[in-house]
């Protein structure tokens, strides 16, 4: 099995892109990270870049050892955010979400962690499964039976109880254990601006039509009616395909990216 990757980060209708995506991967092992600077405080974009950069730097130091246990990503992210706040006292309340995925094709495992409402999906045999659980007040209310309905398109879903800068880390921040990979597995890391605009049915439909991760990304972006509309949030995603070399050969290394379309 080998890895193939595509990404996007669209500005939407905002003045600044506070999302950041990054990854370090070869055909065997990779670390993929996505952060979404939280609103309401200055410095969201700075926080997202600092966190993604430190997670990738930490991974590069000892990539093989860290392929099965990803709790180090949370420590790296919190360390980076703390340092960024110290260096930029005018942005002392900056904060961000985080979603990280580590894949080792030799061990045939995937592990992940997250804080906030940036999501990680697994598509197996073409069907979507959300691996993460949103750390939002609305999701907690839905879980407790205190609210009903769909999370999407509800403004109150943006109130988060766990982020990189939170004092406490919820148990759902970490995967229970490594996931055994199957050839043909597809992963998607995405910010709330992306999954709020492209539902799971549209993701599956676009995947069924795609031959490569970049065409899948284009297909999902094409299902968003108007990316530049004033109400549109930043929309970012990283797609990771796992499969035989003959099927997937395109592998990229990318810093924090602001590409409008899949790279």
């Amino acid at each position: 099995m080998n890895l193939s990757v595509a990404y996007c980060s669209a500005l939407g209708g905002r003045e600044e892109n506070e999302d950041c995506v990054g990854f370090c991967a070869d055909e065997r092992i990779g670390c993929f990270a996505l952060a979404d600077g939280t609103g309401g405080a200055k410095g969201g974009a700075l926080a997202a870049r600092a966190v993604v950069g430190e997670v990738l730097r930490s991974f590069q130091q000892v990539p093989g050892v860290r392929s099965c246990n990803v709790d180090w990503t949370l420590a790296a992210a919190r360390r980076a955010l703390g340092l960024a706040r110290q260096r930029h006292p005018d942005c002392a309340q900056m904060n961000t979400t985080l979603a990280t995925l580590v894949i080792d094709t030799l061990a045939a495992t995937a592990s992940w962690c997250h804080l906030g409402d940036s999501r990680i999906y697994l598509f197996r045999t073409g069907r979507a499964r959300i691996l993460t659980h949103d750390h939002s007040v609305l999701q907690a209310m839905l879980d407790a039976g205190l609210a009903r309905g769909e999370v999407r398109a509800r403004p109150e879903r943006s109130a988060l109880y766990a982020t990189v800068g939170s004092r406490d880390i919820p148990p759902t921040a970490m995967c229970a254990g490594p996931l055994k990979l199957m050839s043909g597995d597809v992963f998607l890391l995405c910010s709330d601006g992306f999954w709020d605009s492209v539902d799971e049915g549209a993701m599956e439909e676009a995947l069924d039509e795609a031959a490569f991760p970049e065409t899948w990304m284009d297909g999902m972006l094409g299902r968003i009616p108007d990316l530049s509309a004033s109400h549109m949030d930043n929309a970012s995603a990283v797609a990771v395909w796992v499969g035989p070399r003959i099927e997937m050969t395109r592998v990229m290394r990318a810093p924090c990216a602001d590409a409008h379309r899949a790279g």
Side-chain angles (χ1 to χ4, degrees):
M1 292 187 287
N2 73 308
L3 303 177
S4 186
V5 189
Y7 67 89
C8 71
S9 190
L11 180 64
R14 302 297 176 87
E15 294 183 357
E16 182 180 21
N17 191 342
E18 295 190 322
D19 291 353
C20 182
V21 298
F23 49 90
C24 178
D26 57 26
E27 293 183 351
R28 184 188 72 81
I29 189 169
C31 178
F32 310 88
L34 181 148
D36 176 4
T38 56
K42 183 180 177 182
L46 178 60
R49 288 195 299 269
V51 163
V52 168
E54 182 59 25
V55 166
L56 296 181
R57 279 191 293 272
S58 295
F59 173 77
Q60 287 177 306
Q61 291 174 0
V62 279
V65 176
R66 294 179 166 177
S67 61
C68 293
N69 190 342
V70 292
D71 57 352
W72 59 268
T73 64
L74 299 181
R78 289 163 72 82
R79 179 172 64 250
L81 181 61
L83 288 173
R85 286 174 169 178
Q86 291 177 20
R87 292 168 179 165
H88 302 274
D90 57 326
C91 301
Q93 300 303 313
M94 71 171 81
N95 209 341
T96 184
T97 70
L98 174 68
T100 59
L101 172 72
V102 176
I103 293 179
D104 186 335
T105 60
L106 284 186
T109 60
S111 300
W112 62 92
C113 66
H114 86 116
L115 286 166
D117 58 358
S118 295
R119 292 181 175 180
I120 302 176
Y121 287 85
L122 165 67
F123 295 79
R124 181 164 284 178
T125 63
R127 299 304 301 271
R129 170 187 166 194
I130 306 176
L131 297 177
T132 53
H133 195 75
D134 295 347
H135 298 138
S136 68
V137 175
L138 177 57
Q139 186 61 61
M141 292 177 66
L142 291 168
D143 295 341
L146 300 176
R148 301 178 64 182
E150 172 62 59
V151 172
R152 284 184 173 85
R154 294 172 65 166
E156 64 269 31
R157 68 170 178 76
S158 297
L160 305 178
Y161 66 84
T163 55
V164 173
S166 297
R167 180 175 180 177
D168 299 317
I169 302 297
T172 53
M174 292 286 302
C175 61
L179 171 76
K180 196 67 176 176
L181 290 177
M182 294 178 59
S183 182
D185 281 347
V186 174
F187 294 88
L188 181 72
L189 292 76
C190 55
S191 63
D192 66 323
F194 190 95
W195 62 254
D196 192 50
S197 302
V198 186
D199 64 25
E200 289 77 24
M203 294 175 186
E204 292 174 352
E205 184 179 73
L207 180 59
D208 186 58
E209 297 170 355
F212 301 99
E214 56 266 32
T215 55
W216 182 40
M217 194 70 73
D218 280 342
M220 289 188 287
L221 288 173
R223 284 165 168 79
I224 302 176
D226 188 356
L227 272 172
S228 61
S230 59
H231 68 278
M232 277 294 300
D233 195 1
N234 307 146
S236 303
V238 181
V240 187
W241 288 28
V242 182
R245 181 180 299 272
I246 192 171
E247 293 178 7
M248 302 176 208
T249 57
R250 183 173 185 181
V251 178
M252 301 178 295
R253 297 176 182 269
C256 184
D258 290 319
H260 185 80
R261 297 172 64 82

